[in-house]
Amino acid sequence: LTSIAWAVGKLQLAHEPLINAMCARAAKLLARDALDTQGIANVAWAIAHVKDVHTTDGELLDRIGREASARLPRFSTQEVTNLVWAFATLKRRHRPLFDAVAEDFVTRVGRFSAQGVSQTVWAFSKVGLSKHQLLVCAANTAR
């Protein structure tokens, strides 16, 4: 599923049956705690890339947000960046996810790429959330 989700997003495939099948499979895997961190991030990323042609069930996005929040320290920094970018692109302010990302970001900011730092800050801005410590950490990496 991880590779299919990546391909759907990368190619911005407007194939409704495939997108629906991907979302249904993701929901089943999440329910069984069988989707790894890359899969979670890729599904969210793919959904954001096809947002103009597909409206995703908010319940799936909430489930992704809850699962990601609970497992965030296991996500790579790239997966974290992709995840918050996806939620911001979808204009989805999932408070537990963004709170977990803000807390995690300050402990791992040195491992984020410059692009990852800027995209993470952009995501918070896009959904109208301001986390002082996150902004301070981001600013300090720019020095």
Side-chain angles (χ1 to χ4, degrees):
L1 179 66
T2 299
S3 296
I4 292 169
W6 179 85
V8 165
K10 181 69 174 171
L11 299 172
Q12 297 182 352
L13 292 175
H15 190 272
E16 195 73 18
L18 176 60
I19 297 167
N20 287 336
M22 177 191 74
C23 290
R25 181 73 177 143
K28 286 179 185 175
L29 290 172
L30 283 167
R32 294 191 339 243
D33 197 25
L35 193 57
D36 66 8
T37 58
Q38 184 180 13
I40 292 170
N42 279 8
V43 167
W45 183 82
I47 290 168
H49 274 282
V50 297
K51 71 178 173 40
D52 294 334
V53 296
H54 178 79
T55 302
T56 301
D57 179 11
E59 190 175 315
L60 175 59
L61 293 170
D62 287 343
R63 181 67 189 248
I64 289 171
R66 284 192 309 273
E67 290 294 323
S69 300
R71 299 194 250 165
L72 204 65
R74 291 185 285 191
F75 279 67
S76 72
T77 56
Q78 183 65 54
E79 291 164 351
V80 171
T81 299
N82 289 350
L83 192 61
V84 294
W85 175 87
F87 272 74
T89 297
L90 293 165
K91 297 180 177 120
R92 191 95 182 159
R93 184 196 273 196
H94 191 278
R95 200 61 183 245
L97 174 62
F98 279 90
D99 287 347
V101 168
E103 186 176 316
D104 181 70
F105 183 84
V106 300
T107 64
R108 297 197 290 165
V109 67
R111 291 188 238 155
F112 279 76
S113 68
Q115 182 179 4
V117 170
S118 67
Q119 284 182 328
T120 301
V121 171
W122 171 85
F124 276 78
S125 174
K126 181 80 173 170
V127 297
L129 290 174
S130 178
K131 296 290 184 179
H132 179 76
Q133 195 60 33
L134 178 134
L135 294 173
V136 168
C137 286
N140 285 337
T141 66
R143 289 183 188 181

